[in-house]
Every structure is written in structure tokens, then in C-alpha cells.
Amino acid sequence: MRIKYCIWDVGNVVYGYSLDPLHRWVAERTEKPEMFAERKGKFSFNDYMTGRISFAEMCRNLGSFYGVPEEQGNAAAINRALFRGVGSYYQETRQAMAALKSKGIQNCLLSNALPVLSDTAGVDEFVPKERQFASYDLGLLKPDPAIYEAVRRRLGCTFAEMMFVDDKPKNVQAAVRLDIYGIIFNPQTILAEVSRVAREERPIINSRGGR
């Protein structure tokens, strides 16, 4: 049985991503710098990433968590900071997607995504919209096994026909436990890794993925 689909994460796989611009904005406006220093990086976007709350509510929650006074322009400023976190696109990922497409393996996306960044992937030439899956549409987050099952159902394949690439080991390990071939993203090796898998009839489960 051959791999039919390669599922790619987005942040730090398709492009680099950092919350540093957001944290700089918070640091300039918090009324409780000691609390911000203690809590930096610990704010949970989960309710927003799963579509349970609006962007405006998420902004209010973030401000409260970090001691930022509520002001009219906060939401717009947070939006700009989140977009500034989008870094350089990995040409290695695009090359790997192109290589898989040439071999008849279909590229897909699966991201624990902030809805405001929904159009930033920039890989429509390799991944049609109907194969771009996000946490806010599915109401689930990686590494919950249910999110991989939701994608499998939409693709109409078996787990053994899927390959999954993510920068977070826990997300890859969760996929591997379902019999998905897992790769922890490394831009220096990704093209060689996916090309090798594309040649194999049924690749051995990648030990780096946790099996």
C-alpha cells in the first residue's frame, strides 16, 4: 500500500512563526510587568483556535491575562502583531510539496490555526482549498486523535495511506500511534525524507515519530 496523502502543518513548517511581536506589544502596554514576565508565553489560544470564541473575545481574554488595559484599538493592534509573527516561507517545504505532487501524492494542510491567519499559507498551487484543514473548522486540536480521524474521513483513505509532517514531536507521535507515517520537520532533510517515502510501497514507521 502506497502513501496517497501528505498532511503538512503550517506554522514553522510552511513558514516560520513567532509570537515575539505580540509579546513586545504586550510588554509595552501591560500595567503588571511582573505578572507578564511570569506568564509570558502561557496564554492559551485554544478556544479561539477551535472556533469557540470570537477574535474580539480572545483579545479581551489576552489583555486580562497579561494585565493590558482594555482600549478601543487593542484588537487591531493584536491583529497586526499576529501577522507580523509570520516569518519567511520555507522553500524546502515548497520543493518537497512539488516533488510529492509530481509523484501523484496529494498535499494537504492540517494546522492548529488562528483564524485571522487563515489565508497566510500561500500554497494553493500545491494544496487546493478543499484539502486545507484547520482546527477552527474541525473544532479539534492536534494532538487529539480525533482530528486525524476527521481528516482521514474527509480524504476517504486509510491511516496507512497518510504521511504527516509537523514540527512538534507530540503531534507527530499522536499520528504515528494511528499508523500514519510521521516526520518531524527539519528543513535541511525534508525533501530527502518525503522523496524516499514516496518511492516505497509501504514505508516502515518512522522511529522519530515515536514508534
Side-chain angles (χ1 to χ4, degrees), residues 3-4 24 34 37 41 48 54 59 72 82 86 90 100 106 114 121-122 133 145 155 164 180 186 189 204:
I3 297 292
K4 293 182 178 179
R24 286 195 295 269
E34 292 183 359
Y48 179 55
S54 67
C59 291
Q72 186 173 0
L82 292 172
V86 176
Y90 291 107
L100 291 175
Q106 305 300 311
L114 299 170
F133 307 109
L155 295 176
F164 177 66
I180 299 170
N186 180 335
T189 60
I204 298 171

Side-chain angles (χ1 to χ4, degrees), residues 132-167:
Q132 297 184 21
F133 307 109
S135 56
Y136 52 84
D137 288 326
L138 300 172
L140 297 162
L141 291 167
K142 297 175 291 185
D144 185 341
I147 197 169
Y148 306 101
E149 169 61 20
V151 170
R152 186 201 64 77
R153 287 199 307 270
R154 284 160 175 77
L155 295 176
C157 65
T158 67
F159 286 130
E161 293 171 320
M162 296 165 63
M163 173 165 51
F164 177 66
V165 182
D166 198 296
D167 64 303

